[in-house]
Amino acid sequence: SRLLTELRARFTAGLGPGAEWLEGRCVSYGEALPYGPFRDLLRTWLGTGPEDPDESVRTALRERLAAIWPDGSSPDAPDPEAYLAGLMGLRPSASEAAELADLSPEAVQFRTFEALCSLVVGLAEAGPLAMVVEDIHWADPTSIRLTGRLAEAAAGHPIMLVATGRPEPDHDSAGLVAEIGARHPERCRVVALDALASGEDRRLLESLVGAGTLPSELERSVLGTAEGNPFFLEELIRSLRDAGALVGGDDGWRFVPVGAVE
């Protein structure tokens, strides 16, 4: 998430106000919730929250789609509103319910995928677009398949698709990464976040508090406990600050003995 924050800052600063960043997060119980991260992503795009009534979300969706397609329909996905509303879990209108009743589950899923892909391509026509799925190792199978479809739709458009997650060999996300990498090696990059190498953790510590600020024994303890995890190392330094063992000033940080430091 920290790396993603840095990427977002560079994306926004480097590409200007026309660039759009859309982000959806998977949750630990999300494997039973179809389209979970994309529901989150679309609500972020619409500026609505989970507590907003369906009518308000529908109105926001209709207005945003009209800005992309004035006639309300994409050339590649007729009636995208109905399927995007269904993706978000909104109640269908009477006419939508009748139309959906005549379709197989596979047909509904296909049209839902195409509606979102058309929306993404439409947004990218206005400027560079980043789509982010966080914690994809918790994603439901439908969202995994949809992510793969979005990777195909992104070809030829200024779209960056980012997925973050733990490497879980038995989860569908591992197969997704392998598949995209095999089909589009020129467009797919896997960034593995390994532990900091020996010496790099000390450099990070010194960049946070200054060289020689901590007693050598405490410094070894902090580095040994963090085990090369930069986030953990930052949190340990923050805990020292909160305990009063590190005090900041105009000339940097200084160590203050406060008894035994846990």
Side-chain angles (χ1 to χ4, degrees), residues 86-150:
L87 184 156
M88 298 178 70
L90 304 179
R91 289 188 300 273
S93 65
S95 59
E96 290 171 350
E99 177 183 345
L100 293 172
D102 292 334
L103 298 174
S104 67
E106 293 77 14
V108 172
Q109 183 181 100
F110 174 80
R111 295 191 182 189
T112 301
F113 281 22
E114 295 311 296
L116 185 61
C117 288
S118 294
L119 171 62
V120 168
V121 171
L123 289 173
E125 290 177 353
L129 173 68
M131 292 192 66
V132 181
V133 179
E134 274 231 69
D135 295 325
I136 198 170
H137 56 277
W138 285 330
D140 61 280
T142 304
S143 293
I144 293 290
R145 290 192 293 272
L146 179 51
T147 303
R149 177 67 186 91
L150 286 167

Side-chain angles (χ1 to χ4, degrees), residues 51-204:
E51 304 303 323
D52 289 329
D54 283 9
E55 293 77 10
S56 299
V57 180
R58 270 280 191 169
T59 299
L61 177 61
R62 189 172 298 120
E63 291 175 350
R64 294 299 298 269
L65 293 180
I68 302 172
W69 304 301
D71 64 354
S73 180
S74 160
D76 299 317
D79 197 14
E81 179 188 331
Y83 295 96
L84 292 174
L87 184 156
M88 298 178 70
L90 304 179
R91 289 188 300 273
S93 65
S95 59
E96 290 171 350
E99 177 183 345
L100 293 172
D102 292 334
L103 298 174
S104 67
E106 293 77 14
V108 172
Q109 183 181 100
F110 174 80
R111 295 191 182 189
T112 301
F113 281 22
E114 295 311 296
L116 185 61
C117 288
S118 294
L119 171 62
V120 168
V121 171
L123 289 173
E125 290 177 353
L129 173 68
M131 292 192 66
V132 181
V133 179
E134 274 231 69
D135 295 325
I136 198 170
H137 56 277
W138 285 330
D140 61 280
T142 304
S143 293
I144 293 290
R145 290 192 293 272
L146 179 51
T147 303
R149 177 67 186 91
L150 286 167
E152 297 295 326
H157 302 282
I159 298 171
M160 177 173 63
L161 180 63
V162 182
T164 69
R166 293 197 302 262
E168 300 282 1
D170 296 330
H171 190 264
D172 290 345
S173 56
L176 172 69
V177 173
E179 178 184 348
I180 295 176
R183 298 181 66 173
H184 305 285
E186 75 287 355
R187 293 196 289 119
C188 179
R189 177 177 299 179
V190 177
V191 180
L193 301 185
D194 298 319
L196 295 173
S198 177
E200 291 183 348
D201 53 353
R202 187 178 300 278
R203 287 175 52 202
L204 175 58

Side-chain angles (χ1 to χ4, degrees), residues 12-36:
T12 304
L15 297 176
E20 186 157 15
W21 179 281
L22 299 179
E23 188 171 323
R25 182 182 296 274
C26 304
V27 292
S28 58
Y29 52 86
E31 291 191 54
L33 180 64
Y35 302 113

Side-chain angles (χ1 to χ4, degrees), residues 163 230 233:
L233 180 57

